[in-house]
Amino acid sequence: MNELDRIDHSIIRELQKNARITVTELASKVGLSKTPCQVRMRRLEEQGFITGYTVLVNQTKLGQSHIAFAQVTLNDTSSEALKAFNTAVKKIAAIEQCHMIAANFDYLMKVRTRNMAEYRQVLGEQISALPHVLQTSTFVVMENVKDAGL
């Protein structure tokens, strides 16, 4: 694994704040000239430290303000069962995040929908139908206090 120096970390931090920053402005902020900054950015991309650039959107303005976290327990945790679950979960658009957890349940999902009725439909018709799902438990978000994208 390649080591990152202070300037590499600065480039990443600045791009996380504003991925649309010009290379000239980024170079100025991290103390480089334009060409060395471009070279470092390209290297960070090629080595997989920077995996892409994206747009953050206001989900509430898009009508997707309901957030729930769903705990999922599987009835089988063999490699084949986990692979089947992982493949299927990626097909459900309402699931923003899905993490395998070391706890008394197997997965924790962040699910975003328009409202509780839509969440109940997603849970009942899609999440519960995922391969090897034994049980789910839901935690509804009352307020989004901190979000990395905001």
Side-chain angles (χ1 to χ4, degrees):
M1 181 127 179
N2 297 317
E3 294 289 323
L4 299 183
D5 65 13
R6 178 186 54 80
I7 294 173
D8 292 329
H9 284 285
S10 294
I11 289 170
I12 291 169
R13 214 171 13 262
E14 291 299 326
L15 288 171
Q16 286 177 304
K17 290 181 200 173
N18 179 9
R20 294 183 64 180
I21 191 171
T22 66
V23 176
T24 303
E25 188 178 351
L26 177 61
S28 173
K29 287 183 178 254
V30 301
L32 294 174
S33 61
K34 184 177 175 181
T35 300
C37 186
Q38 283 178 314
V39 168
R40 282 177 179 257
M41 285 177 61
R42 192 173 308 114
R43 179 179 50 80
L44 290 168
E45 292 168 356
E46 289 169 357
Q47 292 177 349
F49 291 101
I50 296 174
T51 58
Y53 299 87
T54 189
V55 174
L56 301 175
V57 297
N58 183 325
Q59 294 290 350
T60 301
K61 287 190 177 217
L62 294 174
Q64 299 287 311
S65 60
H66 184 269
I67 302 171
F69 287 88
Q71 287 182 351
V72 178
T73 302
L74 303 183
N75 59 17
D76 182 358
T77 56
S78 67
S79 294
E80 291 172 7
L82 296 175
K83 183 177 179 181
F85 180 88
N86 293 347
T87 299
V89 80
K90 293 174 185 175
K91 297 175 184 173
I92 301 175
I95 299 173
E96 282 190 354
Q97 299 177 10
C98 181
H99 305 274
M100 184 185 287
I101 302 294
N104 61 347
F105 57 97
D106 300 305
Y107 287 88
L108 182 64
M109 300 176 180
K110 179 181 179 185
V111 184
R112 185 181 294 273
T113 57
R114 289 178 297 178
N115 51 45
M116 179 59 85
E118 184 177 311
Y119 173 75
R120 286 185 63 198
Q121 181 180 14
V122 169
L123 179 66
E125 295 177 12
Q126 296 179 53
I127 295 173
S128 295
L130 288 167
H132 307 288
V133 171
L134 173 66
Q135 170 182 325
T136 65
S137 184
T138 297
F139 302 88
V140 177
V141 173
M142 294 173 31
E143 179 182 1
N144 186 352
V145 177
K146 180 181 179 184
D147 191 324
L150 300 177

